[in-house]
Amino acid sequence: MININSCLQEIFGAAIQAAYPDLENPPLVVTPSQQPKFGDYQCNSAMGISQILLKTREQKVSPREIAERIVKNIPANECIEKVEIAGPGFINVHLRKDFVSKHLSSLLINGVQPPAIGKRKKVVVDFSSPNIAKEMHVGHLRSTIIGESMCRLFEFVGYDVLRLNHLGDWGTQFGMLIAHLQDKFPDYLSVSPPIGDLQAFYKESKQRFDTEEEFKKRAYQCVVLLQSKNPDFIKAWNLICDVSRREFQKIYNCLDITIIERGESFYHEMMKDIVKEFEDKGFVQVDDGRKVVFVPGFPVPLTIMKSDGGYTYDTSDLAALKHRLCEEKGDILIYVVDSGQSVHLQTVFAAGQMIGWYDPKVTRVTHAAFGVVLGEDKKKFKTRSGDTVRLIDLLEEGLKRAMDKLKDKERDKVLTPEELKAAQTSVAFGCIKYADLSHNRLNDYVFSFDKMLDDRGNTAAYLLYAFTRIRAIARLANIDEQMLRKAAREEVLVLDHEKEWKLGKCILRFPEILQKILEDLLLHTLCDYLYELATTFTEFYDSCYCVEKDRQTGQIVKVNMWRLLLCEATATVMAKGFDILGIKPVQRM
């Protein structure tokens, strides 16, 4: 799909180059116009160029004069109808109707294609990452939803994406769990132990670890035996991991998450090489028996080996970073981890640069941080008893409330049981995902079922209803998919009404939105766009008859095919937007 903003940037880039050939890196600013009376887009480069000429050459040239010179040098192109200079040098751009119409037809014939983004890259996304033997909670929800959506976006534009679940599946707590397993289920090697509630099992073992000295000693011995790959201890470890995995998978199935497990244990064998590499390069200092690495500009050193010879999170994170860069050959590495880990991750990334694993000008290594989930009291989201909210409970509550909402609207009377079930899961999980993704991930957000299930305003419920209404328009006019496909090839999309024109331009802004998110990884921009598309569609539908009926008989008198095609183009872009957000719309709701 064409990115109109990129096209205009090329055109104005060439015009500025021709007008000021000896100006290095002049500012290139093209944005959609906020008000229709000022055209469709604006080039606001003249003010910046005026400043540069004043600073570097002491030439005082008015921005308006610069704008005139740029306009004179605009090359021949197929998208600009006319330009006007306004105020102190804003260049207002009016697009050609036939250009917009042609690209809408192309979208209808070829489907939503990704924007051109250059060379195919390998992207490694680290997300979700719960700990074995602990249940997934609300904190894991954000990483899981945001990470999945980022992966879908990179996959849509044609990148090779590796989705990694960096499970906490190694370390001291496993000694404690294995020692407790041996006591509670001594025949665990031959009979699979019925650990129904791993969380309770973990709490019991932790309490013993904190209060029984003898148990604590045995737990440490278990860690040593596990790390030396003793077969009985590996079997016990695998048992505990499998119980956890099954619980995690229930949640991933509900939320339609695809992820490859690669826990801390995967990197265990690489850790001694990491320590040796930092030692060989002269970066290691010994502090009270520990081996530490100071990274310039960071206050706290990385501990890569404890005084007892054990490794730490710092070591496993360095090993994971190196593996992703050097073995997986990642061009883009994204860590979807809460903001609290920011300093730690920046230190690890800087250590990777310091030792020469990557050059940030070539390889992009990013911490996609996110804030915490708050309850409606604006405090950290917890249950009434003060416990962390279990994710599985949250999802079940969402399903219950979604069904209540559908029954309130008497949808159970018009939908088949299968359609009702599909609508329930679509609304419940769609609303939970959208409530998260529609907030700027850097901020904390307040979790409220009432707000997210509201079918007014910028919510998944509103967008899902809007989508099913759009999809129903052609059905009500007895126009099937085949007729729409034929019309897309034959009809010219007339955009004479101001609301048709506004909707047509809004539909074609989709590639610009995706391009922006690929750069800043802020998915709320896509949610804002889908909401704007839905409200722009409503304005169009209220003003422009798609299907005209006889007032007396209700018989269809006339079908305005080009308008039905605008409905179809809107729905097609919404469906792709939903897909990137991991939301499953339904045809009937």
Side-chain angles (χ1 to χ4, degrees):
M1 266 178 94
I2 190 164
N3 181 334
I4 294 176
N5 201 318
S6 294
C7 282
L8 293 173
Q9 285 186 18
E10 273 178 41
I11 291 163
F12 279 100
I16 292 166
Q17 172 68 32
Y20 296 95
D22 47 356
L23 211 59
E24 258 189 70
N25 290 330
L28 184 57
V29 188
V30 178
T31 57
S33 186
Q34 295 306 308
Q35 293 180 347
K37 64 178 180 187
F38 297 134
D40 307 312
Y41 283 81
Q42 268 185 347
C43 173
N44 303 336
S45 297
M47 280 67 86
I49 293 171
S50 166
Q51 297 281 311
I52 290 169
L53 292 175
L54 188 62
K55 275 182 195 158
T56 59
R57 304 183 189 176
E58 295 182 348
Q59 289 178 346
K60 198 168 182 187
V61 188
S62 79
R64 197 170 175 98
E65 203 179 312
I66 293 165
E68 283 164 1
R69 198 160 157 185
I70 294 169
V71 166
K72 277 198 189 102
N73 284 281
I74 289 175
N77 63 82
E78 60 162 11
C79 60
I80 297 176
E81 175 74 36
K82 63 172 182 175
V83 295
E84 295 161 337
I85 298 167
F90 299 112
I91 303 171
N92 292 335
V93 180
H94 297 261
L95 296 175
R96 287 175 56 161
K97 288 224 165 83
D98 59 347
F99 169 78
V100 172
S101 176
K102 182 181 95 176
H103 283 287
L104 287 168
S105 293
S106 168
L107 158 69
L108 285 158
I109 293 164
N110 303 313
V112 182
Q113 298 298 317
I117 40 112
K119 174 174 144 311
R120 183 176 175 152
K121 291 182 177 174
K122 171 85 175 267
V123 187
V124 181
V125 186
D126 173 329
F127 69 107
S128 195
S129 309
N131 288 316
I132 292 288
K134 294 182 184 174
E135 282 185 291
M136 285 179 81
H137 56 73
V138 157
H140 297 118
L141 181 68
R142 294 210 77 183
S143 176
T144 306
I145 289 171
I146 295 166
E148 171 70 24
S149 192
M150 282 180 190
C151 292
R152 285 167 178 250
L153 173 60
F154 280 107
E155 283 162 350
F156 173 60
V157 299
Y159 285 173
D160 177 13
V161 179
L162 177 62
R163 304 143 157 266
L164 290 187
N165 199 359
H166 189 78
L167 284 186
D169 67 349
W170 205 244
T172 315
Q173 80 268 30
F174 281 95
M176 168 182 104
L177 285 160
I178 291 167
H180 191 51
L181 181 75
Q182 289 171 334
D183 293 348
K184 277 200 78 171
F185 303 107
D187 55 353
Y188 74 89
L189 287 168
S190 52
V191 181
S192 190
I195 308 176
D197 188 346
L198 197 54
Q199 188 84 347
F201 188 84
Y202 179 86
K203 279 181 180 166
E204 288 165 18
S205 62
K206 177 84 174 86
Q207 193 179 5
R208 290 185 68 189
F209 186 81
D210 292 342
T211 56
E212 300 173 27
E213 202 52 45
E214 193 51 47
F215 180 80
K216 191 175 191 169
K217 267 190 209 150
R218 199 152 55 83
Y220 279 127
Q221 284 164 355
C222 289
V223 176
V224 175
L225 288 162
L226 172 65
Q227 293 190 342
S228 60
K229 300 284 169 77
N230 174 298
D232 287 358
F233 286 79
I234 289 289
K235 171 141 196 201
W237 172 72
N238 273 322
L239 273 170
I240 293 163
C241 290
D242 284 344
V243 176
S244 263
R245 267 189 209 107
R246 283 197 294 275
E247 293 306 308
F248 297 157
Q249 198 52 49
K250 284 179 194 169
I251 284 162
Y252 295 146
N253 290 346
C254 276
L255 294 174
D256 196 19
I257 307 295
T258 311
I259 195 162
I260 291 168
E261 182 188 313
R262 197 177 279 176
E264 288 166 5
S265 58
F266 177 86
Y267 304 100
H268 185 69
E269 296 302 315
M270 306 168 201
M271 294 192 209
K272 63 175 184 297
D273 294 339
I274 294 291
V275 175
K276 185 175 184 309
E277 188 174 347
F278 275 90
E279 283 179 326
D280 291 350
K281 297 262 174 83
F283 289 130
V284 173
Q285 295 179 28
V286 179
D287 172 45
D288 205 13
R290 300 177 309 147
K291 291 182 177 179
V292 298
V293 173
F294 281 93
V295 184
F298 291 89
V300 180
L302 295 169
T303 300
I304 58 170
M305 189 179 268
K306 294 188 286 193
S307 54
D308 64 2
Y311 302 120
T312 67
Y313 287 129
D314 295 352
T315 335
S316 65
D317 282 340
L318 285 166
L321 176 67
K322 185 177 184 189
H323 190 268
R324 291 162 189 184
L325 290 165
C326 304
E327 301 297 318
E328 292 295 350
K329 306 273 190 286
D331 301 298
I332 301 171
L333 269 55
I334 300 168
Y335 287 68
V336 188
V337 181
D338 70 87
S339 305
Q341 297 294 317
S342 194
V343 174
H344 163 69
L345 285 173
Q346 295 308 332
T347 313
V348 169
F349 299 163
Q353 274 177 58
M354 178 175 83
I355 203 162
W357 293 340
Y358 76 104
D359 173 357
K361 291 191 190 77
V362 178
T363 307
R364 179 181 176 190
V365 180
T366 304
H367 174 207
F370 55 85
V372 296
V373 182
L374 304 174
E376 294 190 60
D377 57 0
K378 304 284 196 306
K379 292 186 180 142
K380 217 166 173 183
F381 194 46
K382 297 213 181 280
T383 62
R384 285 210 177 124
S385 61
D387 289 336
T388 310
V389 178
R390 290 172 40 181
L391 203 40
I392 200 81
D393 294 343
L394 191 80
L395 298 180
E396 281 167 7
E397 176 74 7
L399 284 169
K400 181 187 160 303
R401 292 201 187 210
M403 184 56 86
D404 292 346
K405 182 87 178 171
L406 289 161
K407 285 182 173 170
D408 281 351
K409 289 182 158 291
E410 301 193 331
R411 305 317 294 158
D412 51 326
K413 295 187 175 138
V414 290
L415 299 176
T416 66
E418 290 75 23
E419 286 172 335
L420 187 65
K421 180 97 181 84
Q424 178 195 22
T425 52
S426 170
V427 170
F429 302 144
C431 286
I432 288 170
K433 288 178 180 182
Y434 192 85
D436 194 319
L437 296 168
S438 61
H439 288 85
N440 184 326
R441 66 173 160 77
L442 297 167
N443 303 334
D444 299 342
Y445 93 97
V446 174
F447 191 97
S448 159
F449 273 122
D450 291 340
K451 278 201 186 116
M452 63 177 75
L453 289 165
D454 194 342
D455 49 19
R456 292 157 308 191
N458 189 4
T459 66
Y462 168 75
L463 289 175
L464 287 163
Y465 282 123
F467 178 80
T468 51
R469 279 199 298 272
I470 298 168
R471 277 277 187 244
I473 295 164
R475 270 207 310 272
L476 295 171
N478 298 320
I479 305 287
D480 62 20
E481 256 181 71
Q482 210 173 343
M483 292 156 88
L484 281 169
R485 271 204 299 275
K486 185 171 180 286
R489 286 185 160 78
E490 295 168 0
E491 288 268 341
V492 173
L493 274 90
V494 186
L495 302 167
D496 289 343
H497 194 288
E498 61 164 325
K499 299 299 182 189
E500 294 171 338
W501 179 234
K502 186 179 177 184
L503 179 60
K505 288 182 300 173
C506 189
I507 292 166
L508 291 187
R509 277 202 11 250
F510 188 54
E512 293 169 29
I513 300 297
L514 300 189
Q515 188 67 55
K516 184 178 182 303
I517 303 166
L518 289 169
E519 286 156 20
D520 63 22
L521 304 177
L522 295 171
L523 289 152
H524 69 276
T525 311
L526 177 55
C527 300
D528 292 345
Y529 166 76
L530 290 174
Y531 180 58
E532 184 189 339
L533 182 59
T535 52
T536 305
F537 177 84
T538 302
E539 285 177 30
F540 152 79
Y541 192 65
D542 289 347
S543 306
C544 304
Y545 286 118
C546 297
V547 181
E548 295 178 34
K549 292 182 176 178
D550 183 295
R551 293 243 166 119
Q552 261 70 47
T553 63
Q555 294 289 98
I556 293 171
V557 179
K558 186 182 176 196
V559 173
N560 294 319
M561 206 61 181
W562 80 93
R563 286 179 177 166
L564 275 189
L565 290 173
L566 273 175
C567 298
E568 182 63 18
T570 305
T572 308
V573 168
M574 281 183 85
K576 180 43 75 180
F578 284 151
D579 185 50
I580 291 168
L581 297 173
I583 292 170
K584 281 187 172 165
V586 284
Q587 298 300 325
R588 278 166 58 82
M589 187 179 283

